[in-house]
Amino acid sequence: MQYRRFGKTNLYLSIFSLGTMRYLTNSENVQKTIEKALSLGINHLETARGYGDSEIYLGKAIKTGLSVPRHQLYITTKIPPTPDADTMGRYIDESLNRLNLDYLDCLGIHGLNTWQHLEWIQAKNGCMQAIQEAVNDGRVRHIGFSTHASLDIILAAINTEFFEFINLHYYYFFQHNAPIIQLATEKDMGIFIISPADKGGKLYNPPETLKELCYPFTPLDLNYRFLLSDNRITTLSIGPGKPEELVISPELFEHENELTEAEIAIFEKLENQQNNLLLTDKCSQCYACLPCPENIHIPEVLRLRNLAVAYNMTDYGEYRYGMFENAGHWFPGMKANRCTECGDCLPKCPENLDIPALLKDTHEQLQGKAGRRLWG
């Protein structure tokens, strides 16, 4: 296992962190999964108030006793933003109680996703008051946030100077947040990449097309290498449901930073595949088409179309597309069939895409309905 400095926290975290959202079966499974992670050299365990009974299960494992002493482990939990200090203070104490801990190494505000959340953070008697009190009395050591927000909100949150780390969505197949990586680095923040296996493309179960394009690497390992080759990134979450799923390829540690020539060649092949199959229908993710009058997240819809056309990542596309209108501020935007063909987006697009037609096509494909497909 390799370890990297987590920004200004000055903690040295393993480059993989154990996420605990999926192991909620029983205490024995949790204990075994954690011990497997520790045996691999993972020293960072991450949970959240919102992950069902995850904090309780982790707390039982801590109370039972782990093979690694507490002072050699780093434990993070996440708590949603609150409009007032009292609620946040109560949540912090409840999480510490459930986790059987006297202090948290890291506390992340879970889902700083809207401008209103940012207002709560900056309010005089808002949740940061309670967090700062917890830092002052030793219950919390370091503060950060996780986010599914738009680029402008995340940049604004970083510029408050309140935070020492960020939990971020950023992958080979989603590079729109690259400016966040740069700004967080300039602020000396630790960078924790969220769910590179699942949100990064359901890469634990890739389509044959993608597997063939990535050979002799697996799509998942290639995404890990894309991320780990960037030494600004500290750690990646890995979220097994049971010990047997916790597998980390030794090859990932052979080259600590720069991509190899073979890896670069595969990424070039993937890019060529998109260009050759999408041709003039490729959305380059410039986001110039926003805002949409119907609140359709046009770039994200067309990103899913890009992946479905180029790599047959339809399963992933259906999974993510199905979240529109169903996940609130965690995945904002309306489905593509809300398009009224008003034409507002057309003059904004530097690539002159027929956006209404592509939106309709994507909806038909990712909803699983029969219909004409521009790539079929």
Side-chain angles (χ1 to χ4, degrees):
M1 184 60 65
Q2 296 166 3
Y3 302 85
R4 294 182 181 178
R5 178 178 172 272
F6 197 38
K8 66 183 76 172
T9 71
N10 284 319
L11 305 176
Y12 277 79
L13 303 188
S14 48
I15 59 174
F16 287 97
S17 295
L18 181 67
T20 61
M21 188 167 69
R22 290 186 57 238
Y23 68 9
L24 306 178
T25 53
N26 57 65
S27 294
E28 182 183 2
N29 182 65
V30 171
Q31 191 89 23
K32 288 180 177 178
T33 304
I34 294 173
E35 288 298 348
K36 175 73 177 292
L38 299 180
S39 73
L40 293 172
I42 290 174
N43 69 353
H44 180 220
L45 311 180
E46 190 241 16
T47 185
R49 177 184 176 86
Y51 291 171
D53 291 330
S54 176
E55 287 184 332
I56 293 172
Y57 279 124
L58 179 53
K60 286 181 179 177
I62 290 168
K63 189 173 184 178
T64 300
L66 298 173
S67 59
V68 173
R70 168 70 178 103
H71 69 274
Q72 293 179 14
L73 280 178
Y74 302 113
I75 297 174
T76 297
T77 198
K78 304 189 298 294
I79 296 174
T82 64
D84 63 283
D86 288 346
T87 302
M88 177 58 74
R90 176 163 51 83
Y91 286 173
I92 291 171
D93 288 338
E94 287 174 357
S95 286
L96 286 167
N97 231 10
R98 285 195 285 258
L99 288 163
N100 285 305
L101 293 176
D102 297 322
Y103 70 91
L104 291 164
D105 297 282
C106 297
L107 172 65
I109 292 178
H110 194 189
L112 203 168
N113 296 337
T114 69
W115 288 113
Q116 183 182 55
H117 293 158
L118 193 57
E119 289 173 8
W120 292 350
I121 299 302
Q122 296 175 299
K124 185 175 181 181
N125 297 310
C127 54
M128 285 304 295
Q129 178 183 315
I131 294 172
Q132 193 56 56
E133 287 173 2
V135 171
N136 293 342
D137 64 28
R139 287 174 292 151
V140 170
R141 298 196 170 171
H142 304 286
I143 310 167
F145 70 100
S146 72
T147 182
H148 297 233
S150 58
L151 202 60
D152 51 352
I153 294 174
I154 303 174
L155 291 170
I158 290 174
N159 281 322
T160 63
E161 307 285 349
F162 290 153
F163 303 108
E164 298 170 89
F165 66 88
I166 182 171
N167 296 9
L168 186 68
H169 291 285
Y170 175 75
Y171 324 106
Y172 174 72
F173 290 123
F174 178 73
Q175 298 181 40
H176 181 67
N177 281 340
I180 305 298
I181 302 285
Q182 183 56 39
L183 181 61
T185 301
E186 291 169 7
K187 301 288 186 181
D188 195 24
M189 293 173 66
I191 298 173
F192 177 13
I193 300 300
I194 305 168
S195 189
D198 185 63
K199 309 284 193 306
K202 290 188 78 172
L203 300 177
Y204 47 81
N205 187 27
E208 287 299 320
T209 300
L210 188 58
K211 286 198 282 189
E212 290 170 6
L213 286 165
C214 293
Y215 185 83
F217 309 100
T218 68
L220 180 56
D221 281 357
L222 205 61
N223 190 41
Y224 285 156
R225 283 290 300 133
F226 169 78
L227 296 167
L228 293 174
S229 68
D230 188 339
N231 60 17
R232 299 173 300 175
I233 292 169
T234 307
T235 186
L236 319 178
S237 72
I238 186 168
K242 50 190 175 182
E244 306 85 78
E245 294 178 358
L246 185 46
V247 178
I248 301 173
S249 303
E251 292 81 6
L252 293 171
F253 306 116
E254 290 179 0
H255 306 281
E256 185 171 352
N257 292 319
E258 292 185 6
L259 293 170
T260 66
E261 289 184 8
E263 290 163 346
I264 292 170
I266 298 296
F267 286 124
E268 289 175 351
K269 186 193 295 187
L270 290 169
E271 183 65 22
N272 290 336
Q273 175 85 353
Q274 272 212 42
N275 294 334
N276 292 338
L277 269 69
L278 286 156
L279 300 173
T280 56
D281 287 340
K282 180 183 175 182
C283 172
S284 65
Q285 300 288 285
C286 69
Y287 280 54
C289 55
L290 295 181
C292 166
E294 301 304 323
N295 196 30
I296 299 167
H297 193 332
I298 297 169
E300 180 63 10
V301 172
L302 297 189
R303 180 181 77 93
L304 298 176
R305 183 184 186 277
N306 284 352
L307 299 179
V309 175
Y311 311 121
N312 199 28
M313 293 172 66
T314 306
D315 185 44
Y316 171 69
E318 290 176 354
Y319 156 53
R320 297 303 283 171
Y321 185 75
M323 294 180 67
F324 285 122
E325 304 183 27
N326 291 308
H329 60 74
W330 294 96
F331 201 80
M334 308 302 286
K335 285 187 163 60
N337 63 332
R338 305 284 186 171
C339 176
T340 62
E341 301 187 31
C342 69
D344 183 81
C345 56
L346 294 175
K348 300 177 186 175
C349 179
E351 295 155 327
N352 297 314
L353 297 177
D354 187 350
I355 292 174
L358 295 175
L359 291 176
K360 180 180 179 182
D361 195 51
T362 306
H363 180 77
E364 290 174 352
Q365 171 72 357
L366 300 184
Q367 284 289 97
K369 298 175 181 176
R372 185 177 65 86
R373 293 168 175 79
L374 296 182
W375 66 84

